[in-house]
Amino acid sequence: MYETLGLDILPRQAAILLGLALGLAFGVLAEVSKFCFRRAVAGPKGERRAAAGVWLAGLATAIIGTQLAVTQGLISFEDHRFLATDLPWLAILLGGLMFGAGMVLTRGCVSRLTVLTGTGNLRAALVLVVFAVVAHATLKGILSPLRTTLGALTLPLQSAALPGSALIWTAVLAGGTALAAWRFSARGRDLALGALIGLLVPLAWIGTGYVLFDEFDPIAMESLSFTSPSAETLFWTVAASSIPAGFGTGLIGGVILGALISSLSARRFQWQSFETPRQTGRYMAGAALMGVGGVLAGGCTVGAGLSGVPSLSLAAILALISIAVGGALTARVIQGDASLSAASQATQQEQPAA
C-alpha cells in the first residue's frame, strides 16, 4: 500500500507526519470542545453530563470506525498487546486506580493537559514533564521492577477480546455509547466535535497498520495515546541524536500546536501558573501517580480508553473502568475533606472569644 501511493519518504518519516497531522486535528477539536474524561467522571456536577456526552460520542465513532477497518481486512489486532492472552489484571487494576486518582489531583487527564499546555497553562506543562519522567522510569528505569512484578501476575485467557460476535459487541457498545452521548449532551455541535475526535482513532490505526506497513522497515501499529508518546517526546527533545522520533512524537507536538492555534485564534490563550506551594505539591503528586498508573494500566484514558476499547480488548475495558473508579473515589475523598474543612472553620467562627 505504501509503495502504491508513491510516497517518496520512509515509513518512519511518514509516521511522524501522520502523527503531526492527527495531533493538529485533535488539538483543535479538543481545545474547542473541552474534550476531557476527568470532567465526565469528577468535574463540576453541572458539567459532567455534557462532558460525558462529548467523550462518549468520540468513543462511539472510534468503535465503529475501528471495527469497520477490521472487517474490511485493513488492520488486525491478533498480535497487538491489547489482545495478549495473559491478562495482567492486578497491574491494570492498580494502574487504573492510580491514574484516575492522579487525573483528579491534576484536574485533567494527560490528553487534556497536553491541550492545556498549548493554551498557555504552565501548570499543565510541568505536569507533563513530571508525568513523562515517571512514566519512562516505570517503563525502563528505576521503577521498572514494580511494573514487572505486578505484570507477572496474570490471568490466562483463551481469548483476550470480548467473547462472542465482534459485530454484536460493536453494535451494543457503539449503539449504547451513542445513545448515552445523545441523552447526556444538549449541544449538537459538541457531539459533532466529539465524534470527529473519535474518527481520528481508526485513521491512526489504518495509517500505521495498513498505509505505512512495510516489511523491510516495520513500524508499530498504534493509534492516539499519550503515555509512551509523552516519554518518547521528552527524551527525543533532550537526546534527538540517539533517540529517533516516531508517530507519538509527531502526535504530541501536533496536539500542542493545534491547541495553540485554536486558543490564539479564539483569543482564549492565557498564561497560567501555580497559585500556592500546596497546589504545586498536589499537581506533582498527581503527575507521578498518572506516570506509574498509565504504564501499569497499559495506557491513559485515550490510549487504553478511546483507542483501546474499540479493539474490543478486555484489558482496555478493564483499564478504562479502573480509571473511572479511581477518579470518582478520589473526587469524593477531596470533596469530603473540603466539606470537613469548611465545617471546622464555621465551628471555630461560631465559638465565643475567651
Side-chain angles (χ1 to χ4, degrees):
M1 181 64 185
Y2 183 83
E3 295 178 353
T4 302
L5 293 175
L7 299 178
D8 294 329
I9 57 177
L10 296 175
R12 291 183 181 274
Q13 296 172 329
I16 298 173
L17 295 178
L18 175 63
L20 180 63
L22 294 176
L24 277 168
F26 184 95
V28 172
L29 295 170
E31 196 279 328
V32 174
S33 65
K34 297 182 180 179
F35 186 84
C36 180
F37 188 77
R38 182 205 66 88
R39 288 179 63 236
V41 172
K45 289 185 178 180
E47 299 179 4
R48 290 181 189 177
R49 289 179 62 87
V54 176
W55 206 90
L56 290 173
L59 182 58
T61 55
I63 293 172
I64 294 172
T66 299
Q67 285 301 310
L68 183 60
V70 172
T71 58
Q72 294 299 312
L74 301 179
I75 58 174
S76 173
F77 291 98
E78 288 185 1
D79 298 323
H80 198 275
R81 64 178 180 86
F82 280 145
L83 295 187
T85 53
D86 290 328
L87 181 69
W89 62 273
L90 184 58
I92 293 174
L93 282 174
L94 292 179
L97 292 173
M98 292 174 68
F99 189 95
M103 75 177 184
V104 171
L105 292 177
T106 59
R107 297 184 61 80
C109 55
V110 182
S111 61
R112 180 61 180 165
L113 294 171
T114 306
V115 171
L116 289 177
T117 297
T119 67
N121 193 314
L122 300 178
R123 295 191 302 268
L126 182 56
V127 166
L128 284 182
V129 172
V130 175
F131 166 79
V133 171
V134 175
H136 194 77
T138 308
L139 279 168
K140 301 178 181 180
I142 192 172
L143 297 177
S144 59
L146 174 64
R147 173 182 58 80
T148 55
T149 300
L150 293 176
L153 299 174
T154 60
L155 178 66
L157 301 172
Q158 290 185 345
S159 173
L162 289 171
S165 170
L167 179 60
I168 293 176
W169 278 115
T170 299
V172 170
L173 292 176
T177 52
L179 179 61
W182 181 259
R183 290 176 61 88
F184 286 162
S185 182
R187 299 184 62 182
R189 187 204 71 161
D190 291 339
L191 288 178
L193 293 174
L196 288 174
I197 290 174
L199 287 177
L200 300 178
V201 170
L203 288 177
W205 286 127
I206 295 170
T208 58
Y210 178 65
V211 176
L212 301 182
F213 175 77
D214 189 328
E215 294 181 352
F216 300 101
D217 188 15
I219 63 173
M221 186 181 82
E222 53 188 321
S223 187
L224 306 186
S225 64
F226 288 84
T227 301
S228 292
S230 294
E232 294 169 3
T233 301
L234 174 64
F235 288 93
W236 171 78
T237 302
V238 299
S241 60
S242 58
I243 299 177
F247 172 84
T249 306
L251 177 70
I252 297 297
V255 171
I256 295 175
L257 182 58
L260 174 63
I261 294 172
S262 178
S263 61
L264 285 174
S265 62
R267 298 184 179 180
R268 286 189 292 265
F269 184 91
Q270 182 182 2
W271 292 112
Q272 299 180 58
S273 187
F274 295 101
E275 298 173 357
T276 64
R278 181 182 179 87
Q279 185 188 52
T280 306
R282 168 178 161 166
Y283 274 65
M284 295 304 97
L289 284 172
M290 285 197 297
V292 177
V295 173
L296 294 180
C300 61
T301 57
V302 171
L306 192 66
S307 296
V309 171
S311 70
L312 306 184
S313 161
L314 289 172
I317 294 172
L318 179 60
L320 185 62
I321 293 174
S322 300
I323 291 172
V325 171
L329 291 176
T330 303
R332 293 192 66 176
V333 170
I334 292 175
Q335 291 168 2
D337 289 344
S339 299
L340 289 175
S341 177
S344 177
Q345 292 178 2
T347 301
Q348 291 177 0
Q349 291 174 358
E350 292 174 359
Q351 291 177 349

